[in-house]
Amino acid sequence: KQEVTQIPAALSVPEGENLVLNCSFTDSAIYNLQWFRQDPGKGLTSLLLIQSSQREQTSGRLNASLDKSSGRSTLYIAASQPGDSATYLCAVSLSADRGSTLGRLYFGRGTQLTVWP
Amino acid sequence: NAGVMQNPRHLVRRRGQEARLRCSPMKGHSHVYWYRQLPEEGLKFMVYLQKENIIDESGMPKERFSAEFPKEGPSILRIQQVVRGDSAAYFCASSPGTGSFGYTFGSGTRLTVV
């Protein structure tokens, strides 16, 4: 069974700081990994998708890395802004040889980020 | 091109009533997934459907819960005889295929059972 853990559970930083959010997963036979953002009372917004064969993906101030063998991913946010305040979720899908439907995502509980001015 | 549309946004039901949650996937997406987010918990997979087929329902409670994705119309998650423990946010996601495609989530339906 895939377990996804995110550390820290909460993070509060001043505006302008560079920060790193961590995600670990117990079964390294993943198909892909996706980072989402969730605002209070809202749905999920996809930020970055990393295929299992990739090492990292970048979008603007966001960079996500993947080390499949060690079961880890990090989300790096550069020059944080108050508008980045949200909960960040990491989710993985397992490869087909694990007997899991490719469509199924396993989520961590998220890191609640607060960026204050 | 609207995203994934879920309705209603908020739903209040008394214990014992039925709840029907609707999800219209993005245009061109034929794969639909339902997830539940209980208070203070992460999102948990419930069911994966394609048009007229249930592909994986391993995350669905065995009783009272059912899902469908008909040939025409939205996907429906149905909860019969709701109990307080069913209070949660229910999210629908869609994708054009499995595996290498990312998922687009709707804004969710927040079900409150009183």
Side-chain angles (χ1 to χ4, degrees), chain B residues 28-97:
Chain B
H29 287 193
S30 58
H31 299 244
V32 167
Y33 317 84
W34 286 91
Y35 288 81
R36 177 165 66 173
Q37 187 173 38
L38 292 165
E40 306 304 322
E41 292 192 18
L43 280 90
K44 302 293 185 188
F45 169 81
M46 298 183 76
V47 63
Y48 164 35
L49 311 105
Q50 294 180 26
K51 286 282 187 181
E52 299 184 279
N53 283 305
I54 297 175
I55 307 302
D56 181 356
E57 57 181 348
S58 59
M60 288 272 274
K62 293 289 185 270
E63 297 178 351
R64 302 188 296 109
F65 285 72
S66 63
E68 62 176 5
F69 189 15
K71 186 177 180 181
E72 301 290 337
S75 175
I76 305 289
L77 179 67
R78 182 181 177 206
I79 311 172
Q80 294 179 292
Q81 299 177 312
V82 296
V83 301
R84 288 246 172 93
D86 297 331
S87 295
Y90 292 82
F91 291 96
C92 169
S94 72
S95 72

Side-chain angles (χ1 to χ4, degrees), chain A residues 31-32 38 41 51 101 104-105, chain B residues 35 37 56 58 99-100 110:
Chain A
Y31 196 84
N32 60 37
Q38 184 176 26
Q51 302 296 340
T101 312
R104 176 174 183 163
L105 291 178
Chain B
Y35 288 81
Q37 187 173 38
D56 181 356
S58 59
S100 60
R110 278 145 188 87

Side-chain angles (χ1 to χ4, degrees), chain A residues 3-80:
Chain A
E3 299 283 348
V4 180
T5 303
Q6 291 188 245
I7 295 173
L11 184 62
S12 181
V13 299
E15 181 177 8
E17 280 207 1
N18 302 323
L19 47 97
V20 175
L21 308 182
N22 297 291
C23 171
S24 62
F25 43 93
T26 54
D27 191 336
S28 61
I30 66 168
Y31 196 84
N32 60 37
L33 181 146
Q34 199 163 356
W35 283 93
F36 295 90
R37 166 186 173 140
Q38 184 176 26
D39 293 280
K42 302 285 181 62
L44 280 69
T45 301
S46 178
L47 298 173
L48 292 164
L49 171 70
I50 310 178
Q51 302 296 340
S52 60
S53 58
Q54 297 175 321
R55 296 297 294 251
E56 66 177 345
Q57 283 285 338
T58 298
S59 176
R61 295 182 294 107
L62 304 180
N63 175 276
S65 66
L66 173 63
D67 184 342
K68 201 173 75 161
S69 61
S70 69
R72 295 178 188 276
S73 175
T74 60
L75 178 67
Y76 177 83
I77 303 177
S80 58

